[in-house]
């Protein structure tokens, strides 16, 4: 192992220092101002390293990280696309970052205007009446949206409606959010082509149904062509339609969930609208609703008065607060900058380009990888592992082997409809050259699987850590150096 790949504690040499405050500049007064019982008795256990050691160690470490800024990241459902840097710069403007959420609304008019404009832009892009930007993530948006759904039925004293229909191909957060919102989950089956089975749906639609959660295109990247019929049936039965718009990439600027009959939706700004994600935040999951549901949106709201001034308001019919203040403002700024810099014309190209790229990969790989659902997909598609199953090489093995070739793995083993799911989403921001390179490597791995399956099964071979014990990492985490030493001892 190279020196700087070691743990920082392993680089420690007694007495080595990075920096020392000149003793004569700091009289002992500073220290003596701290009550003696608060002073530590033994020095902190810190690595003793030079400044250069620290710089090299962390710079080398950061270079081992994989991100969309370092390579292709075809992670289906997650939309790992390029986030233009200008949006980061605008979000870092001190005029905005130095605002305090408790300051007088008169002195924060610009920020409130941005919130108001962005919620309008999202409403226009989605075909819904109004958005709240307060939720912090996709799943948080789902919870908020389902609370709106529940509030709607409760306000009409329709208390029997406690069930939400969720397709068996749905993202795991859908049933989880429904449970957290106090609703019962009822599963509707998919047809062999991945779309909702309307015949299976019909008998579920009774007066206990609060609504249905869907995404369209669905998790297999296929457009639900019967959506208008589904919307009609659900509405006729007194239910509402919830759209999981975590990934709005396939539709952006072309098709609007509101026009398909959806009443409530959320959008992940950190997937479609230019906030990097994958590290656990910050995110934002705005929720939009049709006009008859606007009054239930969470508090606080941003409103514009007749004189063009913006106000933070609290509504009486609202379901209450779901966040502190108005959500993750920095993420909103990036989304706002992204929409404005793309403009109306370019935003219309996002969906078609994402779709073209996905189909290009799919068509070029389907002789080596099993394509369970033929036809034109939208922004993503799913392979059911390698076509030749005789080699013993699994989807997990292929995913790990891709790391050796410098590509991030696709989403694997999701959706649960197939045993060897491999969900690929290239996004609109990749060049044809990158797509071709990925296709070439995927063919190469398929060839290796036939000729030298063990090499693929043993992958990754060239990464800094090999195959990890993920269950072990979750169940017995070793989170600091002392724990590691104790474990080794
Ligand atoms: C990512 C995703 C979510 C959840 O979003 P989080 O911000 O991770 O909570 C929900 N649904 C779909 C389809 C997603 O891709």
């Amino acid at each position: 192992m190279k020196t700087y790949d070691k743990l920082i504690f392993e680089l420690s040499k007694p007495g080595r220092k990075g920096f020392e405050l000149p003793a004569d500049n700091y009289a002992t007064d500073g220290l003596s101002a701290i009550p003696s019982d608060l002073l530590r008795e033994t020095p902190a256990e810190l690595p003793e390293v030079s400044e250069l050691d620290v710089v090299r160690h962390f710079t080398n470490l950061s270079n081992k990280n994989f991100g969309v800024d370092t390579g292709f990241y075809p992670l289906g459902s997650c939309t790992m696309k390029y986030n233009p840097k200008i949006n980061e710069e605008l979000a870092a403007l001190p005029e905005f970052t130095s605002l305090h959420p408790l300051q007088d609304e008169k002195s924060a008019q610009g920020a409130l205007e941005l919130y108001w404009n962005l919620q309008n832009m999202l409403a226009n892009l989605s075909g819904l009446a109004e958005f709240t930007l307060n939720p912090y993530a996709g799943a948080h948006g789902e919870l908020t949206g389902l609370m709106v759904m529940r509030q709607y039925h409760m306000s009409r004293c329709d208390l029997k409606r406690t069930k939400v229909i969720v397709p068996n191909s749905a993202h795991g957060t859908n049933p989880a959010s429904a449970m957290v919102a106090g609703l019962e989950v009822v599963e509707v089956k998919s047809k062999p082509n991945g779309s909702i089975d309307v015949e299976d749906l019909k008998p579920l639609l009774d007066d206990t149904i609060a609504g249905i959660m869907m995404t369209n295109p669905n998790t297999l990247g296929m457009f639900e062509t019967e959506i208008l019929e589904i919307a009609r049936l659900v509405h006729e039965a007194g239910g509402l339609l919830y759209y999981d718009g975590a990934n709005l990439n396939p539709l952006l600027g072309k098709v609007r969930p509101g026009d398909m009959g959806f009443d409530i939706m959320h959008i992940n700004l950190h997937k479609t609208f230019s906030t990097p994600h994958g590290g656990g935040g910050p995110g934002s999951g705005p929720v939009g609703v049709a006009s008859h549901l606007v009054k239930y949106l969470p508090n606080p709201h941003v409103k514009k008065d007749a004189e063009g001034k913006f106000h933070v308001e609290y509504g009486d019919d609202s379901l209450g607060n779901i966040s502190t203040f108005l959500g993750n403002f920095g993420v909103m700024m990036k989304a706002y900058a992204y929409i404005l810099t793309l403009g109306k014309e370019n935003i219309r190209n996002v969906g078609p380009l994402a779709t073209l790229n996905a189909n290009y990969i799919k068509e070029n790989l389907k002789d080596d990888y099993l394509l369970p659902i033929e036809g034109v997909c939208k922004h993503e598609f799913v392979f059911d592992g390698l076509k030749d199953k005789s080699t013993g090489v699994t989807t997990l093995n292929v995913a790990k082997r891709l790391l050796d070739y410098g590509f991030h793995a696709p989403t694997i083993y999701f959706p649960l409809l197939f045993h060897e799911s491999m969900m690929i989403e290239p996004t609109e921001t990749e060049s044809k050259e990158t797509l071709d390179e990925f296709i070439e490597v995927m063919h190469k791995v398929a060839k290796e699987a036939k000729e030298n399956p063990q090499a693929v099964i043993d992958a990754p071979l060239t990464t800094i850590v090999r195959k990890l014990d993920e269950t072990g990492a979750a169940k017995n985490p070793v989170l600091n150096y002392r724990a590691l030493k104790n474990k080794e001892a």
Side-chain angles (χ1 to χ4, degrees):
M1 188 186 273
K2 284 201 235 121
T3 305
Y4 293 105
D5 288 345
K6 290 181 181 161
L7 297 168
I8 188 96
F9 274 93
E10 293 171 328
L11 301 178
S12 184
K13 289 276 177 288
R16 193 167 285 177
K17 284 196 169 97
F19 185 74
E20 196 167 28
L21 296 173
D24 50 355
N25 281 7
Y26 287 84
T28 45
D29 322 12
L31 271 187
S32 62
I34 301 173
S36 59
D37 59 333
L38 292 182
L39 284 174
R40 56 182 317 142
E41 284 160 14
T42 48
E45 272 182 78
L46 296 172
E48 297 181 74
V49 284
S50 71
E51 183 174 325
L52 181 57
D53 284 340
V54 174
V55 170
R56 285 215 179 121
H57 172 73
F58 286 107
T59 305
N60 279 294
L61 209 56
S62 74
N63 287 339
K64 306 230 156 42
N65 209 354
F66 193 96
V68 92
D69 287 352
T70 48
F72 185 47
Y73 208 133
L75 200 64
S77 188
C78 293
T79 311
M80 301 300 273
K81 66 182 182 183
Y82 178 65
N83 303 297
K85 298 297 168 250
I86 186 173
N87 304 331
E88 295 290 334
E89 289 204 16
L90 292 172
L93 288 176
E95 289 81 353
F96 287 98
T97 55
S98 57
L99 289 174
H100 192 280
L102 285 177
Q103 85 188 54
D104 190 317
E105 65 184 27
K106 280 201 210 77
S107 66
Q109 285 292 303
L112 297 177
E113 182 172 2
L114 190 153
Y115 184 107
W116 200 81
N117 286 349
L118 180 59
Q119 78 85 10
N120 279 322
M121 287 171 170
L122 295 179
N124 281 334
L125 285 169
S126 315
L128 289 166
E130 196 167 315
F131 267 76
T132 174
L133 310 181
N134 299 7
Y136 290 123
H140 195 204
E142 289 172 26
L143 175 64
T144 307
L146 290 166
M147 286 166 76
V148 168
M149 190 183 279
R150 216 184 48 173
Q151 191 89 351
Y152 165 77
H153 292 304
M154 277 176 21
S155 72
R156 307 169 81 233
C157 297
D158 201 351
L159 306 179
K160 268 193 298 186
R161 296 193 180 268
T162 55
K163 294 183 192 156
V164 174
I165 300 170
V166 180
N168 59 356
S169 63
H171 194 272
T173 50
N174 290 185
S177 301
M179 295 294 283
V180 177
L183 296 161
E184 197 186 316
V185 176
V186 185
E187 200 178 89
V188 60
K189 291 205 184 64
S190 304
K191 288 193 287 199
N193 73 358
S195 55
I196 287 184
D197 190 336
V198 178
E199 291 312 313
D200 194 54
L201 177 67
K202 280 181 186 163
L204 301 177
L205 294 170
D206 58 22
D207 62 359
T208 64
I209 293 301
I212 185 170
M213 291 184 92
M214 285 177 64
T215 183
N216 190 18
N218 61 29
T219 313
L220 297 169
M222 304 307 282
F223 194 82
E224 300 275 359
T225 51
E226 289 179 282
I227 184 59
L228 294 178
E229 174 65 358
I230 293 173
R232 191 184 64 78
L233 289 169
V234 174
H235 283 146
E236 217 169 69
L240 297 177
L241 279 90
Y242 184 98
Y243 185 89
D244 180 343
N247 186 334
L248 206 62
N249 242 31
L251 304 186
L252 200 52
K254 276 282 171 197
V255 179
R256 307 191 310 168
D259 300 338
M260 295 184 224
F262 286 93
D263 306 286
I264 310 171
M265 73 176 292
H266 82 272
I267 298 173
N268 280 20
L269 295 186
H270 51 288
K271 284 180 182 167
T272 311
F273 293 97
S274 193
T275 281
H277 65 285
S284 176
V287 170
V289 294
S291 53
H292 63 296
L293 301 172
V294 167
K295 61 180 176 184
Y296 305 119
L297 283 175
N299 281 327
H301 310 263
V302 174
K303 297 283 177 201
K304 188 178 182 178
D305 68 18
E307 287 158 31
K309 296 266 182 308
F310 296 92
H311 305 282
V312 178
E313 289 182 3
Y314 291 76
D316 291 338
D317 295 316
S318 161
L319 57 87
N321 288 50
I322 46 91
S323 56
T324 47
F325 311 110
L326 290 161
N328 266 335
F329 195 72
V331 180
M332 295 173 207
M333 290 188 67
K334 288 180 229 183
Y336 189 59
Y338 177 72
I339 294 172
L340 286 178
T341 48
L342 269 185
K344 260 199 183 129
E345 277 313 305
N346 289 323
I347 223 164
R348 283 169 182 275
N349 293 332
V350 170
L353 274 176
T355 297
L356 179 65
N357 287 356
N359 281 285
Y360 182 71
I361 296 184
K362 169 171 68 68
E363 291 303 313
N364 274 291
L365 288 178
K366 69 179 187 186
D367 24 325
D368 274 337
Y369 294 85
L370 185 61
L371 182 65
I373 297 169
E374 282 280 355
V376 178
C377 64
K378 290 290 172 286
H379 62 307
E380 65 192 5
F381 63 92
V382 179
F383 282 135
D384 189 4
L386 280 161
K387 215 167 186 177
D388 181 357
K389 300 272 189 257
S390 71
T391 62
V393 171
T394 63
T395 280
L396 176 71
N397 304 144
V398 173
K400 296 292 180 194
R401 188 63 175 146
L402 282 175
L403 307 181
D404 284 332
Y405 290 115
F407 289 110
H408 196 281
T411 297
I412 58 171
Y413 300 111
F414 174 78
L416 307 175
L417 299 174
F418 313 111
H419 287 299
E420 292 290 326
S421 284
M422 189 183 281
M423 189 186 201
I424 297 176
E425 179 188 6
T427 83
E428 77 284 7
T429 59
E430 297 299 332
S431 67
K432 179 166 179 296
E433 290 74 22
T434 302
L435 302 183
D436 285 335
E437 219 177 316
F438 177 70
I439 289 164
E440 192 190 318
V441 163
M442 287 287 281
H443 280 308
K444 197 163 166 181
V445 174
K447 192 155 173 257
E448 285 179 340
K450 286 198 186 88
E451 291 168 0
N452 183 9
Q454 202 55 42
V456 186
I457 290 165
D458 291 341
L461 307 171
T462 61
T463 50
I464 178 153
V465 286
R466 302 283 302 276
K467 206 173 283 175
L468 298 170
D469 173 3
E470 288 171 23
T471 316
K475 295 217 158 139
N476 309 301
V478 177
L479 300 176
N480 59 34
Y481 187 67
R482 199 181 296 144
L484 179 70
K485 283 289 127 197
N486 289 341
K487 192 170 161 236
E488 281 172 1

